[in-house]
Amino acid sequence: MSHEGIRYVSKEEQARESEENRPLPRIAITPGKVRVLLSEGKGLEIDWVDGHRSAWSFAWLRDACPCATCVEERKNEGRKIGQARPKSAELLPMYKPAAKPASAQAVGRYALQFNWLDGHSAGIYSWEYLRRNCQCPECTFAASETEGAPN
Ligand SMILES: [Zn+2]
Ligand SMILES: [Zn+2]
């Protein structure tokens, strides 16, 4: 009985791992309300139909750009989705304003696209991609628990 807690945790982890590859239920990737806080420069907020609320900063979104070029860049530099480039890795360290889009638009019914002020706009942020990378404390805690596995 005293080991009940330990067994519970490992079962949780197993469940979570298999869950990562499982398709998300439709209500989890259907946005009810989407707010792009452009004028505030804050970021993106989505209320999902399943009741979950997600928020991402623009800086995070820029570093999570899902286009092929950015995915390749992150892979080469060993950065995770949304992880900023370390300052020391920059050739010319200088002040850079925080990433911000000039505008954002829906792509069909499944995604959002940002036109970043740095001229980049190739990334298509699908609802599923966003939900899978939810940055709310609950989801980031769950993700940090499963980190450490290679790849
Ligand atoms: Zn990109
Ligand atoms: Zn979340």
Side-chain angles (χ1 to χ4, degrees):
M1 235 12 220
S2 60
H3 291 96
E4 201 62 13
I6 293 165
R7 237 198 297 152
Y8 174 73
V9 169
S10 73
K11 242 194 238 164
E12 274 266 286
E13 269 169 40
Q14 273 174 10
R16 206 182 281 137
E17 262 166 46
S18 58
E19 211 161 286
E20 275 184 22
N21 303 313
R22 203 193 299 163
L24 293 168
R26 180 172 281 271
I27 52 164
I29 53 171
T30 305
K33 254 190 215 161
V34 179
R35 285 177 299 272
V36 183
L37 305 168
L38 266 187
S39 47
E40 297 94 324
K42 273 174 73 178
L44 169 67
E45 287 178 7
I46 296 180
D47 291 337
W48 303 98
V49 171
D50 71 354
H52 198 75
R53 170 177 279 197
S54 305
W56 304 263
S57 70
F58 286 132
W60 187 94
L61 290 163
R62 181 64 185 85
D63 286 318
C65 178
C67 85
T69 309
C70 293
V71 167
E72 188 68 24
E73 237 174 62
R74 281 197 299 275
K75 213 174 101 187
N76 291 338
E77 295 170 15
R79 281 185 293 132
K80 292 193 205 86
I81 290 170
Q83 190 182 358
R85 193 173 276 151
K87 286 260 185 284
S88 57
E90 308 215 350
L91 291 175
L92 294 166
M94 60 173 106
Y95 173 77
K96 266 202 302 190
K100 219 186 120 176
S103 59
Q105 74 265 358
V107 180
R109 311 195 66 162
Y110 76 98
L112 202 62
Q113 185 173 14
F114 296 99
N115 302 303
W116 299 101
L117 285 174
D118 63 12
H120 194 62
S121 63
I124 308 286
Y125 297 71
S126 72
W127 305 131
E128 177 159 1
Y129 181 76
L130 289 166
R131 179 62 191 259
R132 283 194 189 274
N133 290 288
C134 178
Q135 293 298 294
C136 82
E138 197 187 313
C139 295
T140 49
F141 179 74
S144 73
E145 293 268 284
T146 53
E147 256 171 35
N151 119 86

